[in-house]
C-alpha cells in the first residue's frame, strides 16, 4: 500500500460524517452503520497450540459501504472504530487484551477474494501454511495490505509496521 493510499483512507474517514440517526431506525445506503465483531473459539492447534477464545470487550467498529455490485453486494467498504479483544487460553484461563482498532479499506472481488488496505492494528488469524505469517493470532500494526484468497489464505505486504503473535501472551 502506498503512502498516498493511506492518506486517501485517512481523508475519507475524516471527511465522511458520522452516523446519522434516522427516525425509522433504518440505515440509509451509504451511511455509516455498526459492524459488530463476533467473538469466537478455536480448538488447540487451529491458531495457537491451545484452545483459545477471542471476544470483543470494546467494539465501536462501524462501516461505510462506498460502492456495490449490481446485485447490491458490497464492492468496497471502509471500516473504522475502537476494537479491543480479550484473548483467553481456554486450557489455563490466562487472558490478554489486543488492540485491533485499525482502519481498513476493503475491496471485495466477485470470486470471493478480497484486499484490505490497513492503517493501524488489526487481529488476523493464520492457519498452518496458509499465508505469509506462521500459524497464530497476529496483531499486525502499521500501514499494510492484506490479500485474501477465496479460502482465506492471507498475504501481507507491509509498507511499515510490526507483527506480534498474541498466542505468546497467553501461553
Amino acid at each position: 500500500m502506498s503512502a498516498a493510499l493511506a492518506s486517501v483512507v485517512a481523508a475519507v474517514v475524516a471527511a465522511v460524517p458520522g452516523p446519522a440517526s434516522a427516525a425509522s431506525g433504518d440505515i440509509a445506503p451509504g451511511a455509516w452503520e455498526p459492524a459488530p465483531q463476533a467473538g469466537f473459539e478455536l480448538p488447540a492447534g487451529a491458531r495457537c497450540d491451545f484452545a483459545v477464545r477471542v471476544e470483543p470487550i470494546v467494539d465501536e467498529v462501524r462501516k461505510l459501504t462506498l460502492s456495490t455490485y449490481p446485485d447490491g453486494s458490497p464492492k468496497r467498504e471502509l471500516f473504522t472504530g475502537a476494537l479491543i479483544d480479550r484473548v483467553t487460553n481456554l486450557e489455563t484461563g490466562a487472558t490478554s487484551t489486543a488492540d485491533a482498532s485499525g482502519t481498513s479499506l476493503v475491496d471485495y472481488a466477485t470470486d470471493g477474494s478480497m484486499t484490505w488496505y490497513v492503517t493501524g492494528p488489526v487481529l488476523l488469524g493464520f492457519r498452518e501454511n496458509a499465508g505469509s505469517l506462521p500459524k497464530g493470532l497476529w496483531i499486525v500494526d502499521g500501514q499494510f495490505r492484506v490479500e485474501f484468497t477465496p479460502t482465506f489464505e492471507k498475504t501481507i505486504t507491509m509498507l511499515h509496521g510490526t507483527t506480534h503473535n498474541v498466542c505468546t501472551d497467553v501461553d
Side-chain angles (χ1 to χ4, degrees):
M1 176 170 80
S2 70
L5 181 56
S7 296
V8 168
V9 170
V12 168
V13 170
V16 175
S21 60
S24 69
D26 292 334
I27 307 274
W32 285 102
E33 60 184 279
Q37 308 299 297
F40 58 91
E41 291 185 7
L42 297 167
R47 301 297 180 277
C48 302
D49 291 336
F50 43 85
V52 66
R53 176 186 308 122
V54 177
E55 57 192 331
I57 53 176
V58 174
D59 187 350
E60 298 172 3
V61 177
R62 57 194 177 123
K63 72 176 178 177
L64 176 67
T65 301
L66 300 171
S67 62
T68 59
Y69 286 102
D71 68 359
S73 63
K75 184 175 185 179
R76 176 175 272 187
E77 292 181 313
L78 185 63
F79 291 83
T80 193
L83 178 61
I84 308 296
D85 288 319
R86 176 181 296 120
V87 179
T88 303
N89 178 327
L90 294 176
E91 296 171 13
T92 67
T95 65
S96 181
T97 57
D99 182 354
S101 303
T103 296
S104 299
L105 178 66
V106 180
D107 286 330
Y108 301 95
T110 57
D111 67 356
S113 64
M114 62 182 151
T115 303
W116 294 8
Y117 301 92
V118 183
T119 298
V122 295
L123 180 66
L124 295 168
F126 282 81
R127 300 183 315 263
E128 189 75 41
N129 300 313
S132 57
L133 288 174
K135 177 181 78 173
L137 289 171
W138 294 87
I139 286 290
V140 184
D141 195 1
Q143 291 184 319
F144 54 97
R145 180 179 69 235
V146 186
E147 295 173 88
F148 293 76
T149 68
T151 59
F152 297 102
E153 293 180 13
K154 301 168 195 76
T155 301
I156 297 175
T157 303
M158 298 290 290
L159 179 61
H160 62 85
T162 59
T163 59
H164 173 71
N165 190 348
V166 178
C167 296
T168 63
D169 297 340
V170 293
D171 191 8

